[in-house]
Amino acid sequence: MNTERTNTNRTSNATNAHPRRRHAHVARHTTTAKPTKNRTAAPAKRGRRNNNRRRSMVSPALHHRMSVTDKHAPILPEVTDEDTVRVITVSGVEEIGRNMIVFESKDDIIVFDAGFQFVSEGSNAPGINYILPNTQYLEERKHKIRALVITHGHLDHIGGIPFIMERIGNPPVYTQFLTSLMILKRQEEFPHMDPIDMHVVKEGDSFTVGTTEIKTFPVTHSIPDAMGIAVRTKHGNVVITGDIRLSHVDGDVVAAEKESWQSVGKENNLVMLCDSTNADREGFSAPESIVFETLERIIKNTNSRIIIGTFASQFDRLTHIIKTCEKYGKYVVPEGRSIKTNIDIAINAKLLEVKPGTIISTNEMSDYPSDRIVVLATGAQGEEFASLMRIATGKHKQIVLNERDTLVLSSSVIPGNEIAVQKLKDNIYRQNVRVINYRGEHVHSSGHGNAGELGWVREQVRPKFLVPVHGHHYHLKSHAYSAIDNGFPKENIVVPDNGSLIDIKNGTEIIKHKEKAPTELIMVDGLTVGARQEVVLRDRQSLANDGMFVIIATVNTKTGKLRKSPDIISRGFIYLRENQQLLSEARVLIKKTVEKHTNNMHPIDLDYVKDQVADTVTSFLLQKTHKNPMVIPVLIGI
């Protein structure tokens, strides 16, 4: 009998019989002690497993060269004629964040935006920093990519750039001036990457990439230099709004905004891909001017120290707060890296001029009366290590809250951050400070238009087809229902998913293909960039839920007997000192299991014995504790 083949098959069957422990099985192989003699096939098998695990542990500079196409993926239809244009909602249409839209013609591909998504608290991806758009479709067609066009500077539109540029061939980047400064500032954190080929355009400019002409137009959002895009095609324009809201007074759109959108609507617009983030809200959103008035009143009338938590990317709001503080003789303390960086960018972009002495550091606060201090803090979404959370939990070295302080939360809750924001609010209220938020005062307005604004834009642009984008599925469906209620043909609306391939043929027919571009999550884990590694994440989830139980034992390779009682390490499972009886029983069970399976085995197969120990101990611990820790036996042959 071929002992080697038989033992290998036993190992495989034992592993497959326990799906949850299959991942612990892979991890256990990585801690295997030196193999015994005459084992040739098993070490090679382990090597392949280790290579699969190591594949995710590579730098961004290397990983793009290691992308592997799924052999079982469907064959995607190609764009082969000049009468077909394709739009691909790569990501950002089943979530808030990681926005990316692709335009494709017979000869050209243009990528619009490359954002990332923060991992929300309570997600099933422990240890992951960001989630990126899946660029496999683009990587396979990088010879057609002519440009990356960025609509504005929010991280959900620019955050993925450092991680995907090499994957898609480092195309030239086209965007407006402020956005270019934000992108280039962020690239300083990635010195190993090739410099970006940056092309700065002005709103209203047209430019050509490959054979495709692109025209930009100004839009209103919560950050300056936001722009929309019109891609000119044979049968009409593909209009991409980016993130939008309207400047209005009680629903009456201001003249400059009206003129801009009417100019877009004068052209033949084939399809509009339009922001849907607030499509479930009726009417018009509150204009930013009301927020400016409210914040100015608070800064003017408050006779105590003020801490304002807001988004660092709210340039208009930041500059207004700083100018208001100058007006009323107060001093601004920027607290948080992103706010400090963006104030510097605003000054460099000539969006802000600051009088000397207006901005001071936290170290200088004690030199000024507290009622003249206005702190601008990051972390309004409850980020654990951001300034506002450290202030709220008493972990900030210079800023300690007291009952005389006034804290302004000048932001709303981004979907997915509800738990983190609630923790932040609870911690703030424990400090007995006066809190002002958007529910009680107009201290925040959204950067995204409500259904009334989206309907107004649609009437101006007059597209033949509508594709709602940017938001969860219910946002997109709300947008579609609102358009239908206002007379837009239902058959001319396509509600996409991540990866949807949408073709418009001859300017008359819109088709949503059953096949999709790859949508597997691409994650950033420290310096690691790669597809969702099920083994790694399931191991992390198992460790987080039930902990680990490590067994270290030395085995006499001649007799198969344990040389001494096994050592046991528990992490996140049980407290060893309080469970001595359980440990004693476990040691006896381990000894019996090892000696049972090594009896008459020549040579001794430590891999096979480890699997038996893992399965036996797992069942024992589940029976005794109703917990299922990751059991990792380490058997050392001597």
Side-chain angles (χ1 to χ4, degrees), residues 378-617:
T378 58
Q381 294 303 301
E383 299 93 328
E384 182 180 359
F385 300 108
S387 297
L388 202 55
M389 183 63 85
R390 288 188 288 117
I391 292 170
T393 55
K395 295 179 180 178
H396 197 284
K397 294 180 179 179
Q398 286 90 11
I399 302 175
V400 179
L401 294 176
N402 59 67
E403 295 182 1
R404 297 184 301 277
D405 289 332
T406 297
L407 199 149
V408 180
L409 292 175
S410 183
S411 64
S412 59
V413 182
I414 294 176
N417 293 342
E418 292 85 356
I419 295 174
V421 172
Q422 187 59 52
K423 286 184 178 180
L424 173 66
K425 289 162 63 177
D426 286 343
N427 283 314
I428 290 171
Y429 276 87
R430 286 184 184 279
Q431 309 302 321
N432 297 320
V433 300
R434 178 190 176 212
V435 179
I436 301 174
N437 60 40
Y438 73 100
R439 293 188 181 278
E441 295 267 13
H442 292 295
V443 292
H444 177 71
S445 67
S446 176
H448 305 271
N450 290 5
E453 292 161 85
L454 302 180
W456 185 93
V457 168
R458 191 170 54 253
E459 290 174 1
Q460 308 306 311
V461 176
R462 297 179 297 170
K464 185 167 189 176
F465 301 106
L466 174 66
V467 178
V469 294
H470 298 177
H472 292 281
H473 187 75
Y474 86 92
H475 291 123
L476 275 55
K477 277 286 176 64
S478 297
H479 192 167
Y481 293 151
S482 175
I484 294 167
D485 290 344
N486 285 276
F488 199 89
K490 180 180 179 180
E491 62 274 14
N492 287 6
I493 300 175
V494 171
V495 176
D497 297 315
N498 286 339
S500 288
L501 307 178
I502 302 169
D503 286 355
I504 304 170
K505 295 182 176 293
N506 300 309
T508 59
E509 181 183 12
I510 189 166
I511 300 170
K512 179 182 176 184
H513 290 283
K514 293 180 180 179
E515 301 87 354
K516 291 184 179 181
T519 58
E520 183 181 9
L521 296 182
I522 303 298
M523 298 183 171
V524 179
D525 182 359
L527 293 178
T528 303
V529 180
R532 182 187 183 98
Q533 297 293 312
E534 287 295 334
V535 171
V536 174
L537 291 183
R538 286 183 186 175
D539 282 355
R540 290 179 184 178
Q541 291 162 12
S542 176
L543 290 169
N545 293 330
D546 296 308
M548 64 190 296
F549 193 83
V550 182
I551 302 160
I552 304 173
T554 55
V555 181
N556 187 318
T557 54
K558 293 182 179 180
T559 65
K561 305 292 185 181
L562 293 186
R563 297 179 66 90
K564 63 174 184 176
S565 180
D567 294 324
I568 293 176
I569 300 170
S570 172
R571 291 291 182 268
F573 171 50
I574 58 171
Y575 185 47
L576 295 182
R577 291 184 181 179
E578 296 180 357
N579 291 274
Q580 292 300 316
Q581 179 64 32
L582 178 68
L583 295 181
S584 297
E585 294 177 17
R587 287 189 173 97
V588 171
L589 181 62
I590 293 164
K591 183 176 185 297
K592 288 182 178 180
T593 304
V594 170
E595 295 181 354
K596 171 186 174 183
H597 290 286
T598 57
N599 186 33
N600 295 325
M601 180 184 284
H602 300 288
I604 291 176
D605 183 351
L606 289 181
D607 285 338
Y608 172 71
V609 176
K610 281 198 311 178
D611 291 333
Q612 304 310 311
V613 171
D615 292 341
T616 302
V617 173

Side-chain angles (χ1 to χ4, degrees), residues 368-382:
Y368 298 86
S370 61
D371 63 345
R372 315 306 291 174
I373 297 294
V374 176
V375 178
L376 284 175
T378 58
Q381 294 303 301

Side-chain angles (χ1 to χ4, degrees), residues 123-238:
S123 72
N124 60 351
I128 298 302
N129 303 104
Y130 318 115
I131 304 177
L132 304 175
N134 188 314
T135 55
Q136 183 177 321
Y137 184 93
L138 296 172
E139 292 171 52
E140 294 167 355
R141 298 161 179 80
K142 66 172 67 175
H143 63 282
K144 288 181 65 176
I145 299 176
R146 308 299 176 217
L148 169 61
V149 181
I150 304 297
T151 59
H152 65 279
H154 283 154
L155 285 174
D156 60 333
H157 291 256
I158 69 170
I161 291 176
F163 305 105
I164 72 162
M165 283 298 282
E166 291 185 350
R167 290 171 174 253
I168 64 174
N170 289 306
V173 177
Y174 291 80
T175 193
Q176 293 200 79
F177 181 57
L178 176 65
T179 311
S180 74
L181 293 181
M182 298 179 74
I183 293 171
L184 294 174
K185 181 67 176 177
R186 198 154 183 274
Q187 289 301 113
E188 294 176 5
E189 301 175 17
F190 301 84
H192 63 281
M193 293 189 61
D194 292 337
I196 283 183
D197 180 13
M198 182 66 72
H199 296 254
V200 176
V201 298
K202 296 180 180 179
E203 57 187 36
D205 281 356
S206 296
F207 57 94
T208 300
V209 290
T211 61
T212 305
E213 183 183 358
I214 297 172
K215 181 175 175 59
T216 68
F217 56 90
V219 300
T220 301
H221 187 40
S222 56
I223 187 171
D225 275 8
M227 66 181 186
I229 301 294
V231 183
R232 293 202 160 111
T233 76
K234 180 178 178 180
H235 296 286
N237 294 345
V238 175

Side-chain angles (χ1 to χ4, degrees), residues 217-222 241 243-262 274-275 278 283-289 445-461:
F217 56 90
V219 300
T220 301
H221 187 40
S222 56
T241 67
D243 290 356
I244 56 169
R245 69 178 180 200
L246 295 177
S247 296
H248 66 93
V249 178
D250 297 329
D252 184 14
V253 179
V254 300
E257 185 100 64
K258 188 178 297 185
E259 181 181 347
S260 176
W261 284 109
Q262 288 175 346
C274 185
D275 180 14
N278 281 348
F284 279 55
S285 62
E288 186 74 5
S289 58
S445 67
S446 176
H448 305 271
N450 290 5
E453 292 161 85
L454 302 180
W456 185 93
V457 168
R458 191 170 54 253
E459 290 174 1
Q460 308 306 311
V461 176

Side-chain angles (χ1 to χ4, degrees), residues 329-355:
K330 298 197 173 185
Y331 303 94
V332 178
V333 181
E335 184 51 35
R337 179 184 177 189
S338 55
I339 276 186
K340 294 175 182 177
T341 297
N342 285 356
I343 288 175
D344 289 340
I345 289 174
I347 293 172
N348 292 335
K350 308 299 183 185
L351 296 174
L352 174 65
E353 292 183 7
V354 185
K355 295 178 182 177

